[in-house]
Amino acid sequence: LALDFLKVKTADAVVVKAPQLRQQVVEILIAVKVTRQDAEITADILVESDLRGVDSHGCGNVVGYATRIQQGTTKAQGDVRVISESPSSALITNDWGLGFAGAHAAMSMAMDKAAETGMGAVTVRDGQHIGMLMYYPLMCVRRDMIGLAMTNGAPCVRPAGGAQAMLGTNPIAFGAPAGEEPPFLYDAATSVVAMGKIGIARRLGVPLPPGWAADREGDWIKEPPAGRSPNWSLAPVGGDRVRGAHKGYGLSVMVDILCGVLSGGGYSALCREGDNHTFMLAMDISKYRPIDEFKSMMDDMIRALHATPPEPGTEKVLVAGDPEHETYLERSTRGIPLHRSIVDNMRAKAKEVRAPVLI
Amino acid sequence: LALDFLKVKTADAVVVKAPQLRQQVVEILIAVKVTRQDAEITADILVESDLRGVDSHGCGNVVGYATRIQQGTTKAQGDVRVISESPSSALITNDWGLGFAGAHAAMSMAMDKAAETGMGAVTVRDGQHIGMLMYYPLMCVRRDMIGLAMTNGAPCVRPAGGAQAMLGTNPIAFGAPAGEEPPFLYDAATSVVAMGKIGIARRLGVPLPPGWAADREGDWIKEPPAGRSPNWSLAPVGGDRVRGAHKGYGLSVMVDILCGVLSGGGYSALCREGDNHTFMLAMDISKYRPIDEFKSMMDDMIRALHATPPEPGTEKVLVAGDPEHETYLERSTRGIPLHRSIVDNMRAKAKEVRAPVLI
């Protein structure tokens, strides 16, 4: 759910249509020697993010990915391969290529296993950014499956009671199909906010609310910092102990175990900035109960939640995936409003790598 | 993690040894016609809870379970059986017997499937209270597996932005074994606190902190209410929007989907008080990577978290399972301090059902 004060102001926006934006991402990636297949997978995920209003994980990030490839931090063509496998499980390495390739392969594999045995879980080591996490459970939803995805990353979140970052934002995404209603699609960091929100707040020049980020003395900071540093860290979900920061912290370590320790890639504190190890799980609903009955009960549940009397100051109770679904409907027809600086950076990168400028 | 102000005061405590307490639970349950096997499973789980300091889910609850059996709300001998099954999945019904029977059977089944295929997930419908959720991943940890358990229940938690309870406390428990360190054992409601905490606060006569429970107008309440009512509800983890209440809400619905919708037993709003539908997942670590390497990395991670510089006012950064492990070491030798009223109620129930009084 996007907080209003973090939205791009109309005056700063350049509106671009999705197909054009997708093609621009593909061209930039191919220009830095990514295979067409991986470039298209990556572009699909980045565009889906922009279409759904998850601006922090949108196409603008291709500039950074291309730069990492140019610098050699990310391999242009990683050799994604299986390390170990059983009927419902697998461990694969992404071989330090673009994270999207391994993550997409992992969820595809998990779904194929689920179709056979009821469920599949694949953990991926040696990965890099994999974009909007919601994309992967969305792959499951499109196959009438339930999907769960998690990823870890370099430390920027303090444990409850700690004064130093030890955990990534370690998000969890979960999706389940409904019938007539949009699918349930949850995607949230186990930190109080995702790291991208701090960058957005800085770009928009708005102060951070208390409960988000603290300095080494444990005092909340207002000024959005320019980037990661040992001098500040995000709080886990809950913000403080009374509101459940120890719960957010525990969930974050759960993510770290499934992504970093189970894969052997390493827990957050062993990750360099940009590294991600990932866990993907798919469940075939029809192995449990008839899919139509499942979807019909999902519809009932979603409608009941929507019908909850709202508290004063709230217009309507939402369900995870609602705001992204609405944004999707709007942006897939009207186009995607990108912050001017993002468009400028993408154009500059395209020129630099001698890719056509399409936006 | 137990908040200090919720602990039983020494003056109000009666200390009972675990084996005695276990036997008292078994005798009460057998007296109301529960099978010896189910009575012992239930007693093991309740005692483990008391030993680990999870007082809200301890042996005192046997009084309520026995009463429900006497009233016919819970069957003394439910017919736990498989409705659908595949190599890694199953749906079973608990047939409205004691919840512990079906939950224990489900996790046992999930582990057996995991040993074959890498993982197993079993969802249980038509259940009742299953006690301390952490017990079930602990079963996995003892078999060198990773365990995940969730359960839903009757509404007492509002959705973010809602003014009415629509969700159970819908907890998540997760466990993973370590080598020399105690296992990672997470167990927490997706509400800001578990329902049991409100009862404890009331018994101890302490006010509720803001962020825990709100009335129909959305104002935080201080006086711990006597029981569930339409006039108040708990907040999701995070407490308010800025600190992530929408995340706690989303996780709660995820639990509801896996427990209530996947099983067909019904989401929270369809549950009567005391009903629970449950989801159990087990993963065989050795199918992914050698168990010794996994455990060694777990040790490293846990030690790194313990070594985090604490923020002012915190003595040491803890890891999920630490306080329960310490309490376990203490209580398994010195005995379990039960609130006097709990002992009185257990004795009274034993007399009423003509079971021997052992505590």
Side-chain angles (χ1 to χ4, degrees):
Chain A
L1 313 186
L3 292 167
D4 278 341
F5 69 88
L6 294 183
K7 284 186 183 151
V8 178
K9 292 176 193 105
T10 313
D12 296 330
V14 179
V15 177
V16 184
K17 294 279 187 178
Q20 227 177 313
L21 191 56
R22 178 182 186 279
Q23 202 50 37
Q24 182 65 81
V25 171
V26 170
E27 295 291 354
I28 291 174
L29 290 176
I30 287 179
V32 293
K33 310 288 184 227
V34 174
T35 64
R36 174 165 294 275
Q37 182 185 309
D38 287 352
E40 288 184 347
I41 286 171
T42 303
D44 283 340
I45 298 169
L46 294 178
V47 170
E48 189 81 35
S49 179
D50 276 319
L51 283 171
R52 291 179 180 265
V54 186
D55 295 350
S56 53
H57 292 64
C59 291
N61 290 291
V62 73
V63 174
Y65 300 139
T67 304
R68 287 176 67 94
I69 290 171
Q70 292 171 300
Q71 291 168 342
T73 323
T74 300
K75 286 188 192 174
Q77 303 192 13
D79 177 19
V80 176
R81 62 188 185 275
V82 174
I83 296 175
S84 66
E85 191 174 6
S86 75
S88 297
S89 73
L91 163 60
I92 70 182
T93 172
N94 189 63
D95 191 34
W96 304 112
L98 270 180
F100 302 86
H104 189 271
M107 191 54 106
S108 303
M109 209 169 164
M111 291 190 294
D112 290 345
K113 287 176 180 294
E116 288 291 320
T117 67
M119 56 189 320
V122 179
T123 170
V124 188
R125 53 175 295 172
D126 316 327
Q128 312 232 346
H129 284 164
I130 63 170
M132 174 181 70
L133 199 60
M134 183 190 285
Y135 187 85
Y136 305 95
L138 185 57
M139 289 169 68
C140 297
V141 164
R142 287 171 178 158
R143 261 177 85 169
D144 277 354
M145 291 187 181
I146 287 173
L148 177 67
M150 303 175 181
T151 188
N152 74 350
C156 55
V157 181
R158 51 181 55 198
Q164 186 185 300
M166 294 295 290
L167 297 152
T169 57
N170 296 4
I172 299 173
F174 177 88
E180 293 166 7
E181 299 295 325
F184 179 84
L185 280 170
Y186 175 84
D187 179 355
T190 52
S191 50
V192 69
V193 285
M195 196 65 178
K197 294 278 191 298
I198 305 293
I200 294 175
R202 188 175 170 87
R203 209 149 56 227
L204 299 182
V206 293
L208 303 181
W212 281 21
D215 62 23
R216 284 175 151 180
E217 281 69 48
D219 294 322
W220 302 121
I221 55 176
K222 278 190 184 174
E223 173 79 19
R228 297 178 189 216
S229 99
N231 295 324
W232 70 281
S233 52
L234 292 172
V237 165
D240 57 38
R241 173 78 183 77
V242 166
R243 294 177 188 84
H246 54 302
K247 300 187 181 194
Y249 163 42
L251 290 171
S252 173
V253 178
M254 174 183 80
V255 171
D256 228 3
I257 292 170
L258 290 173
C259 299
V261 185
L262 187 61
S263 73
Y267 47 90
S268 297
L270 300 177
C271 293
R272 298 160 301 183
E273 192 163 340
D275 291 1
N276 285 126
H277 310 291
T278 295
F279 176 79
M280 301 285 179
L281 184 147
M283 303 178 64
D284 185 349
I285 296 161
S286 68
K287 294 281 195 297
Y288 291 86
R289 63 182 300 217
I291 184 74
D292 289 345
E293 292 178 16
F294 176 91
K295 287 183 174 177
S296 160
M297 192 180 270
M298 284 292 295
D299 282 344
D300 290 347
M301 183 192 72
I302 291 167
R303 287 167 190 157
L305 290 169
H306 281 156
T308 311
E311 67 181 0
T314 299
E315 200 188 324
K316 190 187 169 183
V317 170
L318 301 178
V319 172
D322 281 352
E324 294 83 2
H325 181 74
E326 267 190 42
T327 307
Y328 180 87
L329 295 180
E330 190 187 312
R331 292 191 176 180
S332 51
T333 50
R334 292 200 204 160
I336 297 160
L338 294 174
H339 194 277
R340 191 169 301 279
S341 66
I342 287 178
V343 175
D344 290 346
N345 289 341
M346 286 182 71
R347 285 175 182 156
K349 181 55 78 176
K351 281 177 197 158
E352 183 200 329
V353 300
R354 295 167 190 265
V357 175
L358 302 173
I359 59 169
Chain B
L1 311 188
L3 292 168
D4 279 340
F5 70 88
L6 293 184
K7 284 187 184 151
V8 177
K9 292 178 194 104
T10 313
D12 296 331
V14 178
V15 176
V16 183
K17 294 280 187 179
Q20 227 177 312
L21 191 57
R22 178 182 187 277
Q23 201 50 37
Q24 182 65 82
V25 171
V26 170
E27 296 290 354
I28 292 174
L29 291 175
I30 287 179
V32 294
K33 310 288 185 230
V34 174
T35 63
R36 174 163 295 274
Q37 182 184 311
D38 287 354
E40 288 184 345
I41 286 171
T42 303
D44 283 340
I45 298 169
L46 294 179
V47 170
E48 189 81 34
S49 179
D50 276 319
L51 283 171
R52 290 180 181 265
V54 186
D55 296 350
S56 53
H57 292 64
C59 291
N61 290 293
V62 73
V63 174
Y65 301 140
T67 304
R68 288 175 67 94
I69 290 172
Q70 290 171 301
Q71 292 168 342
T73 323
T74 300
K75 285 188 193 174
Q77 303 191 10
D79 177 19
V80 176
R81 60 188 186 275
V82 174
I83 296 175
S84 66
E85 190 174 5
S86 76
S88 298
S89 73
L91 163 60
I92 71 181
T93 172
N94 189 64
D95 191 34
W96 303 112
L98 271 180
F100 303 86
H104 188 271
M107 190 54 105
S108 303
M109 208 169 164
M111 290 191 293
D112 290 344
K113 287 176 180 297
E116 288 291 319
T117 66
M119 57 187 321
V122 179
T123 170
V124 188
R125 54 175 294 171
D126 316 326
Q128 312 232 345
H129 284 166
I130 62 169
M132 173 181 71
L133 199 60
M134 183 191 286
Y135 187 85
Y136 304 95
L138 185 57
M139 289 170 67
C140 298
V141 164
R142 288 172 177 156
R143 263 177 84 168
D144 277 354
M145 292 187 180
I146 287 173
L148 177 67
M150 304 176 181
T151 188
N152 73 350
C156 57
V157 180
R158 52 182 54 198
Q164 186 185 300
M166 294 295 288
L167 297 152
T169 56
N170 297 3
I172 299 173
F174 176 87
E180 293 165 7
E181 299 295 326
F184 179 85
L185 280 170
Y186 175 85
D187 179 356
T190 52
S191 49
V192 69
V193 285
M195 196 66 178
K197 294 278 192 298
I198 305 294
I200 294 176
R202 187 175 172 86
R203 210 149 56 226
L204 299 182
V206 294
L208 303 181
W212 282 21
D215 63 21
R216 283 175 150 179
E217 281 70 47
D219 294 321
W220 301 121
I221 56 177
K222 278 189 185 175
E223 172 79 18
R228 296 178 188 217
S229 99
N231 296 324
W232 70 281
S233 52
L234 293 172
V237 166
D240 57 37
R241 173 77 182 79
V242 166
R243 292 175 189 86
H246 54 302
K247 299 187 180 195
Y249 163 42
L251 290 171
S252 175
V253 178
M254 173 183 81
V255 171
D256 229 3
I257 292 170
L258 290 173
C259 299
V261 185
L262 187 61
S263 73
Y267 47 90
S268 297
L270 299 178
C271 293
R272 297 160 303 182
E273 191 163 340
D275 291 1
N276 285 126
H277 311 291
T278 295
F279 177 79
M280 301 284 179
L281 184 147
M283 303 178 63
D284 185 349
I285 297 162
S286 67
K287 294 282 196 295
Y288 290 86
R289 63 182 301 217
I291 184 73
D292 289 346
E293 291 178 17
F294 176 90
K295 286 182 174 178
S296 160
M297 193 180 270
M298 283 293 294
D299 282 344
D300 289 347
M301 182 192 73
I302 290 167
R303 287 167 190 157
L305 291 169
H306 281 156
T308 310
E311 67 181 0
T314 298
E315 200 189 324
K316 189 187 169 182
V317 170
L318 300 178
V319 173
D322 282 351
E324 294 83 3
H325 181 74
E326 265 189 43
T327 307
Y328 180 86
L329 295 180
E330 189 187 313
R331 293 190 175 181
S332 51
T333 51
R334 292 198 204 162
I336 297 159
L338 294 173
H339 194 277
R340 191 169 300 278
S341 66
I342 287 179
V343 175
D344 290 346
N345 289 341
M346 285 181 72
R347 285 175 182 156
K349 182 54 80 175
K351 282 177 196 157
E352 183 200 331
V353 300
R354 297 169 189 262
V357 175
L358 302 174
I359 58 168

